Amino acid sequence: MEKHEEHTAHVHRDDEGDKLGMWLFIFTELLLFGMLFLMYAVYRHKNPEAFLLGGEELDVFIGTFNTVILLISSATVAMSITAIQRGNKKQALVLLGITLFIAVLFLVNKYFEWGAKIEYGFYPGSDLLHELGHGTTLFFGLYYIMSGIHALHILIGIGLFIYVVWQIRRDKIHSTDYVWLENTGLYWHLVDLIWIFLFPLFYLIH
Amino acid sequence: MSETTTAKHVSFLEYKGKYKGILGWIFSTDHKRVGLLYLYTMLVFFSIAAILGLLMKIQLIAPGYTIMGPQTYNSMFTVHGIIMIFIIVVPGLPAVFGNFFLPLMIGAKDVAFPRLNLASWWIYIIGILVVLSSQFLGGWPDTGWTFYAPYSFRTPANVLPALFGAFILGFSSILTGINFVVTIHRMRAPGMTWLKMPLFPWTLYATAWIQVLATPVIGITLLLTVMERVLGVGVFDPALGGDPILYQHLFWIYSHPAVYIMILPGMGAISEILPVFSRKSIYGYKAIVLSSLAIAFVGYFVWGHHMFTSGMSGRALYAFSFLTFLVAIPSAIKVFNWVATIHKGSLNLQTPFYWATSFIFVFMIGGLTGLVLGSLATNVHVHDTHFVVAHFHFIVFGGTGYAFMAALHYWFPKMFGRMYDASWANIGWATFFGGFLTLYLPMFALGLQGMPRRYYDYLPEFHTGNIISSLGAILMIAGALIVITNLVRSSRHGEKVTGKNPWGGRTLEWESDTPPTLENWDEIPKVTEGPYDYK
Ligand SMILES: [Cu+2]
């Protein structure tokens, strides 16, 4: 019988368990956004024309650009996991650097996009929306809520990536212990996935 | 860690880690200390909310202004509801007994994510502080705990802290749920197959899934209401094209499953207690497991029964009514199992057994009156009356509250290493039980006569019922005082328990030290038998 155990309950390690926990968290996120998509469906059904016109007000170029870069960032995260598995720390850091850059770029684009809309007078409570009526008000209400909560997730993702980069540099995340990176990657794919739905619903359906 | 060697055979209550005094508690990741932190927090807030309840009953002892006016009364039932629902019964048994006993019952050293577990408690405390801050930021909300649109963003009262606080409390609930699902999947002791797992962990498992899958819905709903109030985005505001009925749907898509978050772990605790005090194996173990999972699943599809008079298509009404009847079946199966477990047992009449059997009694009254509310014709008659208030207090307070008390007395010696004073515990239980029935039974009659809920005033013909009910409230609070005082006193001065297993239970937690050591076990136990093998 062992007298001195190496692991206390506090440092118990279980990568499978950690990933299971992350998946459960992703379920909660899917339900959260699921309810928003449900609301979108209800209000689009009630106001088909206003939603059609609302979609035409959005800038398809910026939307497409953000979609493409976000997809690229999902790829770079996945590649960084492979790099860590192979023990290539430098490559992993470069790939995560690109991911971080894209995440920030996404938010910069979002800032200019929102700024332009607000300058136009499309914001909750504006006179313009009041004039355009209920349907358009709801379209833009949902647009700000859904893309805003999504942007918040991007922001949290940036925080997570900074943490992961820091841990890789300190060799806390390495080729035999990288579940933090994997879970951050899972989270990032979720953020990407949600945008893949948001983009056509708001920008493309005409 | 150097602490490991010294941790042997020192109880978790006396164990000294990195921090001393109270810091050693509020920064402890030990699941047992976290469980007790929840217990103490709940004790404080239960007392506050119970006093609010008592004040409301005193107001209702006579028609008209007795001790408060309408606005104060509205605030009181709102804050009473918010505290009782979001701070007490939703975290309830999982946060206290789940944290304390889940690892012990499945033979683990802690939950899967101990630091996250402590974080849940901190988030819980932050949520509570935000909710309570409304008192200092422009007064209590007056919307009721349901925050119905459009009143929740029209009222001049300060609703924002309550909305935001409840949102934060949701995070705490989700994190506990994630923690428990992973713990149960990954950390059962060798030999503990799914069907050798005790029933309390099983109900925690079903509950944790509801916490994970339903709580985000209320989260986003509350957040949208915040945005509606601050920005006027329009999604729930009829003046801007939004639909307030949609709010009700989203709210109840969470809040009905939440009823099962409240009651399922209680059912699990009762299923632990009855076999021990009947000296008999639980009747129909698998039926209880399956019915718990069935409740968790079907419970998602019945939310519409809260909205029978809100405006829904006839077809939706029939569907929701039918499903509501359906979800009653697994609960009834459990009642059958419990009664069959007691049947022909050699009963050991102790306080936990009294709480557990009175649980079955009040739960049945609550359940059967639930069917009155679930069928369409009768619902229209008693909707939004005192009948509803009586019904959900029988379930949420009668069900969860009694199960909580049963569990607290049952596990008390394991938690504190001391025994409660049995005669005071029994006197407290009897007083409470008598007071409870006197308080809530007349409300059914009042509701049937047509007395609406949520009014500070009533017509003279409702006077008699209200007098009886209010006197019952005083009796019940007296009972609660006896029970709580006895437990608090006994936790410090009660008779010491040194044996591991004062009740002769067969589940794993009784094989740990009393009180358990920091890491519960020197060696992870091996499981070979089912949890209720009484021979
Ligand atoms: Cu319900």
Side-chain angles (χ1 to χ4, degrees):
Chain A
M1 200 185 93
E2 254 190 14
K3 272 271 182 255
H4 304 272
E5 290 148 69
E6 275 183 41
H7 295 294
T8 66
H10 305 264
V11 290
H12 153 97
R13 181 179 159 192
D14 175 12
D15 289 355
E16 283 304 307
D18 291 352
K19 273 189 267 183
L20 177 59
M22 192 63 206
W23 275 106
L24 290 169
F25 178 73
I26 285 176
F27 290 166
T28 69
E29 291 277 13
L30 289 177
L31 270 143
L32 189 144
F33 277 99
M35 290 304 126
L36 289 171
F37 285 122
L38 184 79
M39 293 184 78
Y40 176 93
V42 168
Y43 287 133
R44 179 156 197 128
H45 179 73
K46 280 188 174 174
N47 311 281
E49 269 144 47
F51 272 56
L52 216 70
L53 294 173
E56 277 167 13
E57 293 295 332
L58 297 183
D59 191 334
V60 181
F61 176 74
I62 287 196
T64 315
F65 184 77
N66 266 347
T67 310
V68 172
I69 59 168
L70 212 53
L71 280 171
I72 294 172
S73 76
S74 249
T76 52
V77 175
M79 285 153 75
S80 77
I81 297 174
T82 316
I84 277 286
Q85 281 170 333
R86 288 182 183 151
N88 195 337
K89 181 175 163 185
K90 205 168 157 197
Q91 195 183 27
L93 284 173
V94 170
L95 286 162
L96 285 173
I98 298 173
T99 315
L100 255 173
F101 173 75
I102 290 178
V104 174
L105 183 64
F106 183 95
L107 287 183
V108 171
N109 287 339
K110 190 104 273 175
Y111 171 80
F112 284 114
E113 196 188 359
W114 275 30
K117 285 281 143 328
I118 289 169
E119 208 168 324
Y120 249 67
F122 289 111
Y123 56 86
S126 73
D127 296 336
L128 180 63
L129 282 186
H130 190 71
E131 244 167 69
L132 290 171
H134 287 168
T136 318
T137 308
L138 285 171
F139 179 85
F140 278 97
L142 284 171
Y143 166 73
Y144 282 112
I145 291 168
M146 292 171 81
S147 61
I149 293 178
H150 180 261
L152 182 69
H153 280 77
I154 299 261
L155 208 62
I156 294 168
I158 291 175
L160 285 171
F161 280 126
I162 290 173
Y163 176 76
V164 164
V165 164
W166 181 54
Q167 292 295 61
I168 291 177
R169 294 189 57 148
R170 293 170 64 216
D171 287 321
K172 290 277 177 188
I173 295 177
H174 49 76
S175 60
T176 53
D177 187 359
Y178 51 86
V179 72
W180 257 99
L181 175 58
E182 269 189 305
N183 274 347
T184 307
L186 270 178
Y187 171 84
W188 195 249
H189 295 323
L190 167 85
V191 174
D192 196 0
L193 180 78
I194 288 165
W195 181 256
I196 299 291
F197 282 96
L198 287 180
F199 172 59
L201 285 179
F202 281 103
Y203 295 77
L204 293 186
I205 305 181
H206 287 327
Chain B
M1 268 186 209
S2 60
E3 300 148 16
T4 326
T5 43
T6 57
K8 296 273 162 75
H9 302 289
V10 176
S11 112
F12 79 99
L13 291 167
E14 275 139 33
Y15 174 77
K16 294 213 171 36
K18 225 184 336 178
Y19 303 101
K20 290 187 177 53
I22 192 170
L23 294 183
W25 282 80
I26 60 175
F27 294 123
S28 168
T29 55
D30 176 15
H31 65 101
K32 300 179 286 300
R33 287 199 172 186
V34 174
L36 289 186
L37 284 176
Y38 274 108
L39 178 65
Y40 299 143
T41 322
M42 280 180 199
L43 187 66
V44 171
F45 288 97
F46 174 79
S47 309
I48 294 173
I51 290 168
L52 294 179
L54 181 65
L55 290 174
M56 284 190 284
K57 289 315 292 185
I58 292 174
Q59 160 59 28
L60 290 179
I61 205 162
Y65 186 104
T66 316
I67 56 167
M68 65 180 87
Q71 187 61 29
T72 317
Y73 188 83
N74 292 351
S75 303
M76 288 228 167
F77 72 66
T78 303
V79 177
H80 171 84
I82 293 172
I83 293 181
M84 286 298 195
I85 298 284
F86 292 113
I87 300 177
I88 312 292
V89 283
V90 166
L93 281 98
V96 178
F97 304 110
N99 267 321
F100 201 111
F101 286 103
L102 173 62
L104 286 163
M105 293 180 92
I106 63 172
K109 290 192 167 184
D110 206 317
V111 291
F113 309 116
R115 271 182 299 175
L116 195 67
N117 200 24
L118 176 64
S120 310
W121 181 76
W122 274 104
I123 294 171
Y124 173 70
I125 293 294
I126 293 168
I128 292 175
L129 292 178
V130 172
V131 167
L132 295 184
S133 69
S134 64
Q135 171 61 10
F136 311 101
L137 300 170
W140 281 357
D142 61 351
T143 56
W145 75 278
T146 49
F147 303 117
Y148 264 20
Y151 186 65
S152 55
F153 41 85
R154 296 267 170 76
T155 171
N158 193 11
V159 190
L160 278 181
L163 286 168
F164 200 62
F167 173 76
I168 295 171
L169 288 168
F171 271 98
S172 166
S173 185
I174 288 175
L175 294 180
T176 305
I178 291 178
N179 220 334
F180 284 4
V181 171
V182 177
T183 306
I184 291 171
H185 269 274
R186 306 288 306 170
M187 297 178 75
R188 278 170 290 134
M192 183 174 281
T193 54
W194 282 98
L195 289 180
K196 284 201 179 111
M197 188 162 73
L199 288 164
F200 184 58
W202 258 116
T203 50
L204 287 175
Y205 182 69
T207 307
W209 273 105
I210 312 178
Q211 283 174 298
V212 168
L213 295 181
T215 317
V217 180
I218 191 80
I220 191 64
T221 311
L222 294 173
L223 204 60
L224 285 169
T225 315
V226 169
M227 291 196 223
E228 193 68 79
R229 199 172 161 91
V230 179
L231 302 169
V233 282
V235 284
F236 296 138
D237 191 347
L240 297 172
D243 188 351
I245 303 289
L246 190 60
Y247 173 88
Q248 295 186 21
H249 277 291
L250 292 174
F251 182 83
W252 290 112
I253 286 176
Y254 164 75
S255 296
H256 186 82
V259 174
Y260 297 114
I261 296 179
M262 304 171 197
I263 196 72
L264 268 171
M267 294 170 154
I270 298 299
S271 308
E272 295 296 336
I273 293 165
L274 290 177
V276 174
F277 294 91
S278 309
R279 311 307 308 156
K280 238 181 100 200
S281 182
I282 187 90
Y283 182 87
Y285 168 87
K286 279 185 195 160
I288 296 183
V289 169
L290 286 177
S291 60
S292 300
L293 296 174
I295 285 177
F297 180 72
V298 183
Y300 276 102
F301 306 102
V302 301
W303 76 85
H305 63 215
H306 296 270
M307 304 166 57
F308 282 161
T309 60
S310 299
M312 250 196 291
S313 75
R315 221 172 299 151
L317 290 178
Y318 297 141
F320 279 123
S321 180
F322 173 73
L323 287 165
T324 303
F325 273 76
L326 211 60
V327 84
I329 296 172
S331 299
I333 290 176
K334 283 196 166 66
V335 171
F336 176 76
N337 284 318
W338 293 325
V339 176
T341 303
I342 305 171
H343 180 63
K344 287 191 176 169
S346 24
L347 302 185
N348 178 12
L349 297 178
Q350 301 279 355
T351 321
F353 186 77
Y354 292 140
W355 281 107
T357 37
S358 50
F359 164 90
I360 301 179
F361 181 73
V362 290
F363 179 72
M364 269 177 56
I365 295 179
L368 292 172
T369 51
L371 292 178
V372 176
L373 289 161
S375 53
L376 296 170
T378 41
N379 179 284
V380 174
H381 181 64
V382 290
H383 196 94
D384 264 344
T385 66
H386 264 55
F387 191 91
V388 179
V389 182
H391 157 71
F392 70 70
H393 278 88
F394 261 90
I395 292 286
V396 173
F397 192 20
T400 312
Y402 280 53
F404 193 97
M405 277 316 188
L408 190 52
H409 285 87
Y410 173 57
W411 279 313
F412 190 87
K414 183 58 70 185
M415 295 165 95
F416 297 99
R418 289 173 186 275
M419 189 54 95
Y420 57 83
D421 183 309
S423 44
W424 276 114
N426 291 340
I427 293 170
W429 164 77
T431 318
F432 185 93
F433 190 37
F436 181 90
L437 296 179
T438 323
L439 162 55
Y440 294 114
L441 281 177
M443 283 195 187
F444 285 121
L446 288 169
L448 285 173
Q449 288 166 20
M451 178 174 165
R453 65 192 282 204
R454 293 181 164 175
Y455 284 85
Y456 88 115
D457 194 7
Y458 51 82
L459 297 172
E461 63 249 43
F462 302 131
H463 197 180
T464 323
N466 274 296
I467 291 178
I468 301 172
S469 174
S470 295
L471 293 177
I474 295 166
L475 190 64
M476 188 187 78
I477 293 290
L481 261 175
I482 298 173
V483 171
I484 292 171
T485 314
N486 180 37
L487 288 176
V488 171
R489 219 194 73 86
S490 302
S491 70
R492 300 168 154 272
H493 309 291
E495 201 184 315
K496 280 224 175 201
V497 177
T498 43
K500 288 185 172 180
N501 196 350
W503 307 125
R506 299 302 303 258
T507 36
L508 265 187
E509 81 272 28
W510 299 109
E511 288 174 29
S512 68
D513 284 3
T514 302
T517 55
L518 176 69
E519 296 198 330
N520 303 341
W521 325 95
D522 294 345
E523 229 180 334
I524 297 285
K526 288 197 174 46
V527 181
T528 49
E529 296 180 329
Y532 307 104
D533 290 335
Y534 290 93
K535 276 153 202 153

